[in-house]
Amino acid sequence: MWTSGVTKGRLRAQVGLSVMVVLFINGSTGLVCYTAVESLDLGCLLQWDCPHASPNTTYTVQTKTQGDPWQDVAWCVWVSSHSCDISQVFSNFELYNMIRLGVHLSPISTVWIKPRKFDYSDFTFSPPSVSVSLNDDLLLVKVQFPCAANRRCSMQRCCPITEMIDPWTTVTVYNTLNHSEHQTRTVWTQEVVSYVDFSGLSPGQSYCAVANFSFPTFSMAASPKSAPQCVETVSKSGLLPVLCLGIGLTSLLLVTLLTVFLKKTRRPAPATENQAKPPVSIQDQVSLLPLSLVPLDPCDIHVELDDDHISTESSSSLPSNQDQASTCGELELERGLDSGISIPPVSQSSDETCG
C-alpha cells in the first residue's frame, strides 16, 4: 500500500512539474517585451525592454523588406544589450519594412516577439536651412536639407535626405511689418538642393523666408520650420541716386566720344591729285607752251616793257610800220635770249611782210 502511494505521489509531482514548465513557457511567451523605434532623418534605432527576462538573456534582431525573407542584423545577433541601430539596413522607404526581436530562452530555444512595421509614422526630421538673395524685385530662396542618418551614404560626407527620398518642400515668404502680406509655395524636390523664387514684393520692405519639408505623399511626417532668413527690398527713392549716377556717367562718356570724333573730322585732308591748283599767270602760260606749237608772227604782237611786265596788244594799235618792224626785231631778240634759242635777225622780207 505504501509503495503504491509513493508511486502515485511521484507521478503527481512529475505532472505538476510538467505543468509548471508549460506555464513558464507560456508565461514567457505571453510576457512580450516592449519595443520602440526612434527615427531621425531616416535613421532607425530599435530599443526594447523585457522586464521578466533573466539578466543573462540574449537577443537577436531580424528585419524584412516587402518581398524578402527575414534576415538577421549581423551586428545584433545574440547580444545582451537592449538596443540595435539598424539605420543602414533599410534603403527603400516606399516599401513595407518590418522588424522583430528574438529572445533566447536557451541555446536551442528562441521566442520571437510580434513583428512591428517601420514606416513614415515613425519618421521625424530636423529642420532645413534656408538662404535668401535678392535680384531686382525677385527673391530667390535656397533650401538645404539635413544630413541623413542612414549609413547607406558615406560617413565622411553629408548625405542629404533628398538622396533617398523626394520630399515635398514648402517655402513661405512674409512681410515682417505686415504678416498678412505673405506668399507660400510647395514644390516636389527631386534635387539635392531646392530653389524657390518669389516676385511681386513691395519696395522698401523687409521680407523673411522659412521652409519645411515632409515625406512624399505623407504630410504628417513633416519637419519643423527652418530659422527665418530676412532681406530688405530696395525702395524707389533709393534707386534715384543710383539712376542719376548712371545717367551722369553715360553722358560723360558720350561727350568724350563726340569730342574725339569732332577733332578727327576737323583735321586738314591730305592734298590729292584732283585738288584744284592755283591759276597760272599769263607769262607762265606762255613759257610753258612749246615753241613748235605756237605760230609766232611778229606782225601780230606788240610788246611793251613796263616794270618787267609783258603785255600784249592787238596789231591794230601799232603807230607805224617802221616802229612795228623794229619792235618785232626786239621781241624776237628778247625771246631768243630768254628761251636760250638763237633767232636770226629779221630779214627784209619780214619788213615787207609787216608793210
Side-chain angles (χ1 to χ4, degrees):
M1 297 291 295
W2 182 82
T3 304
S4 60
V6 172
T7 303
K8 291 181 181 179
R10 289 180 178 179
L11 181 60
R12 288 177 183 175
Q14 292 178 356
V15 172
L17 181 62
S18 300
V19 171
M20 289 178 63
V21 172
V22 172
L23 291 175
F24 177 76
I25 295 175
N26 289 336
S28 64
T29 57
L31 296 174
V32 179
C33 297
Y34 300 100
T35 60
V37 172
E38 292 183 1
S39 176
L40 178 64
D41 300 329
L42 301 180
C44 182
L45 177 65
L46 177 66
Q47 295 176 316
W48 61 86
D49 180 25
C50 301
H52 298 283
S54 169
N56 297 326
T57 303
T58 56
Y59 309 91
T60 294
V61 178
Q62 289 186 341
T63 59
K64 172 183 173 63
T65 299
Q66 181 179 353
D68 296 332
W70 287 101
Q71 295 180 348
D72 291 341
V73 178
W75 52 92
C76 293
V77 175
W78 293 84
V79 295
S80 59
S81 62
H82 290 74
S83 65
C84 178
D85 187 355
I86 54 178
S87 299
Q88 61 182 330
V89 174
F90 301 116
S91 59
N92 191 339
F93 300 97
E94 301 291 340
L95 301 177
Y96 292 109
N97 296 300
M98 307 294 290
I99 307 171
R100 71 178 182 177
L101 175 69
V103 181
H104 300 291
L105 300 179
S106 68
I108 59 173
S109 176
T110 302
V111 177
W112 295 100
I113 306 301
K114 181 180 179 180
R116 63 152 299 159
K117 62 179 179 174
F118 173 64
D119 58 14
Y120 65 90
S121 62
D122 299 306
F123 295 158
T124 59
F125 297 102
S126 302
S129 61
V130 300
S131 59
V132 295
S133 60
L134 191 64
N135 185 9
D136 295 334
D137 60 343
L138 187 66
L139 179 65
L140 181 63
V141 181
K142 177 183 178 181
V143 182
Q144 292 181 306
F145 300 89
C147 302
N150 191 293
R151 299 299 186 268
R152 190 181 69 177
C153 298
S154 172
M155 294 290 293
Q156 300 178 355
R157 69 179 182 91
C158 172
C159 176
I161 63 168
T162 46
E163 291 193 8
M164 288 173 281
I165 63 172
D166 297 330
W168 288 100
T169 305
T170 301
V171 181
T172 301
V173 172
Y174 60 90
N175 191 327
T176 57
L177 300 179
N178 182 12
H179 285 196
S180 62
E181 181 187 353
H182 66 275
Q183 301 181 44
T184 300
R185 291 189 58 189
T186 299
V187 297
W188 187 30
T189 302
Q190 295 178 287
E191 304 294 336
V192 175
V193 178
S194 183
Y195 294 92
V196 184
D197 53 45
F198 296 86
S199 59
L201 305 180
S202 302
Q205 300 293 318
S206 179
Y207 290 91
C208 293
V210 294
N212 75 323
F213 63 93
S214 62
F215 189 76
T217 69
F218 298 104
S219 60
M220 61 192 70
S223 73
K225 290 184 178 180
S226 65
Q229 294 294 320
C230 303
V231 67
E232 186 172 349
T233 58
V234 180
S235 62
K236 293 183 179 179
S237 59
L239 291 175
L240 184 59
V242 178
L243 183 61
C244 293
L245 179 62
I247 294 176
L249 293 176
T250 304
S251 302
L252 181 61
L253 179 61
L254 291 177
V255 169
T256 304
L257 294 176
L258 183 61
T259 303
V260 173
F261 177 75
L262 291 178
K263 285 183 179 180
K264 288 184 178 181
T265 55
R266 289 180 179 178
R267 291 181 181 177
T272 59
E273 295 181 357
N274 297 331
Q275 188 174 358
K277 296 182 180 181
V280 183
S281 62
I282 297 177
Q283 183 177 1
D284 294 337
Q285 290 180 358
V286 173
S287 63
L288 292 175
L289 292 176
L291 294 177
S292 60
L293 299 179
V294 181
L296 182 63
D297 191 350
C299 299
D300 296 332
I301 301 175
H302 175 67
V303 178
E304 294 183 359
L305 299 177
D306 186 8
D307 297 332
D308 296 333
H309 294 284
I310 301 176
S311 62
T312 59
E313 295 182 0
S314 173
S315 61
S316 60
S317 61
L318 294 177
S320 63
N321 295 336
Q322 187 64 28
D323 295 337
Q324 184 179 6
S326 72
T327 302
C328 290
E330 295 177 0
L331 177 61
E332 293 294 339
L333 179 61
E334 290 181 2
R335 290 180 58 85
L337 293 176
D338 293 338
S339 61
I341 303 175
S342 59
I343 301 176
V346 181
S347 61
Q348 183 66 30
S349 62
S350 298
D351 294 340
E352 293 177 356
T353 303
C354 293

